[in-house]
Amino acid sequence: MIVAALIKKIISLFLILFAGTLLVRLKILKAQDSKVLSLLTLYLIVPCVIINAFQVEYSPALRGGLLLALCASLIIQLFMVLFSHLLKRPLKLDPVEQTSIVYPNAANLVIPLVSAMLGDEWIIFSTPFTAFQLFLIWSHGRSVLCGEQGFSLKKIFTNTNLIAVFIGLLMLLTGLSFPDPVQDAIGSVSATVGPISMLVTGMLIGGMDLKRVFTYKRVWLVTFLRLILLPIPALLLVKFSGLASLVPNGETVLLIVLMASSTPVASMVTQMSQVYGQDADYASAINVVSTLMCIFTLPVVVALYQL
């Protein structure tokens, strides 16, 4: 049942991706026009999704689920960082490849999938993974890409998504809520995260020379590591560790964390590659190929968990 709903939603999202590609190929829009949608997603849509996810009633079960999601997210993401460092020398991974295998596109893809598969009330359990990833990508990810040690605390704590997490958490703990018109507006904006994100990706693909994308021979290696090899330890952890038994509905909470860790390469890797002087075209190619391949790999990972 869950796998069937997942496949159905993935197909619908990829049809939107194809529509974005077609708009650019037919010269109705330009690939550069996607920048406006990207900014809308970053500064409005995803923060609304996160805040909207916290508009639920606080309970011990909810607290337990969030702590379980946080614990599993910490273990899985720290393992991915360690694993990338272990593979760096034998596979000769460059900075773009190393960050690509560590950082999945969790927020933009998992949120609409969770909403379609399980319902909006489950989206809240994806926020611990996203929050910790933001911390890692502006510390470890930045260090790898720019070749400098240290943290960008400003980038971490002024990130709109992390601010949204803090606002949502504060409202959850205090019992505060928005007036109905405001809440309706936030919910309406939240519902667009999946379509807009895929439309942006499709427009970017439409502006690319796909022949050049597939000339990067190692793009398949990185895609294999991101979508197949790295999700295996995550799958083993959530399925056989016994963590699911610690809280009610633990299996569903861990499924959400597993999905977040099994998504394609984060688009932020491409953006940061541009900022820090890495090969942004290569990063973009990895993002495109991994996004296209996840239509096959993500349902398999979920099906294996459901067995």
Side-chain angles (χ1 to χ4, degrees), residues 50-116:
I50 293 172
I51 293 173
N52 190 56
F54 280 93
Q55 302 304 299
V56 294
E57 185 177 350
Y58 182 77
S59 67
L62 178 64
R63 179 186 61 198
L66 286 172
L67 289 175
L68 176 62
L70 178 60
C71 178
S73 298
L74 289 172
I75 294 171
I76 290 172
Q77 292 192 62
L78 290 175
F79 171 81
M80 290 193 293
V81 170
L82 175 62
F83 194 69
S84 71
H85 281 282
L86 292 175
L87 292 179
K88 178 182 178 180
R89 182 168 295 178
L91 295 182
K92 298 180 180 178
L93 299 176
D94 64 24
V96 169
E97 294 169 339
Q98 193 175 347
T99 49
S100 292
I101 67 176
V102 172
Y103 298 107
N105 196 18
N108 291 346
L109 192 56
V110 167
I111 288 172
L113 294 179
V114 169
S115 177

Side-chain angles (χ1 to χ4, degrees), residues 92-103 141 144-146 216 218-219 222 265-266 269-270 272-274 276-287:
K92 298 180 180 178
L93 299 176
D94 64 24
V96 169
E97 294 169 339
Q98 193 175 347
T99 49
S100 292
I101 67 176
V102 172
Y103 298 107
V144 171
L145 288 171
C146 72
Y216 292 107
R218 286 174 62 92
V219 73
V222 179
V265 177
V269 173
T270 300
M272 293 180 72
S273 295
Q274 292 175 320
Y276 295 116
Q278 298 294 336
D279 190 343
D281 289 340
Y282 182 34
S284 183
I286 295 172
N287 177 268

Side-chain angles (χ1 to χ4, degrees), residues 201-257:
T201 303
M203 291 173 68
L204 292 174
I205 292 174
M208 291 180 176
D209 182 354
L210 292 181
K211 291 182 179 179
R212 184 182 177 190
V213 168
F214 291 103
T215 59
Y216 292 107
K217 295 181 180 179
R218 286 174 62 92
V219 73
W220 298 105
L221 170 64
V222 179
T223 299
F224 170 78
L225 294 173
R226 168 87 294 278
L227 296 181
I228 299 176
L229 188 60
L230 272 173
I232 291 176
L235 174 63
L236 295 176
L237 172 71
V238 299
K239 191 171 178 64
F240 299 113
S241 65
L243 289 174
S245 63
L246 296 177
V247 300
N249 298 315
E251 289 187 1
T252 305
V253 171
L254 291 179
L255 170 62
I256 295 170
V257 175

Side-chain angles (χ1 to χ4, degrees), residues 5-24:
L6 173 64
I7 293 173
K8 182 179 178 180
K9 186 61 177 179
I10 287 178
I11 291 173
S12 69
L13 289 175
F14 272 82
L15 288 175
I16 297 172
L17 181 149
F18 177 72
T21 303
L22 201 60
L23 286 170
V24 174

Side-chain angles (χ1 to χ4, degrees), residues 109-184:
L109 192 56
V110 167
I111 288 172
L113 294 179
V114 169
S115 177
M117 292 166 50
L118 304 170
D120 289 345
E121 67 272 18
W122 290 95
I123 293 175
I124 191 172
F125 297 109
S126 68
T127 56
F129 191 99
T130 302
F132 188 61
Q133 178 174 296
L134 288 171
F135 176 81
L136 279 180
I137 201 166
W138 285 111
S139 54
H140 165 264
R142 175 182 176 276
S143 175
V144 171
L145 288 171
C146 72
E148 298 177 1
Q149 300 298 320
F151 294 76
S152 178
L153 291 176
K154 181 179 178 181
K155 291 288 187 179
I156 294 171
F157 291 106
T158 59
N159 185 280
T160 53
N161 292 347
L162 198 58
I163 292 172
V165 170
F166 290 144
I167 293 173
L169 189 58
L170 178 64
M171 296 183 70
L172 176 68
L173 295 176
T174 59
L176 295 174
S177 60
F178 293 109
D180 288 343
V182 177
Q183 184 58 45
D184 288 344

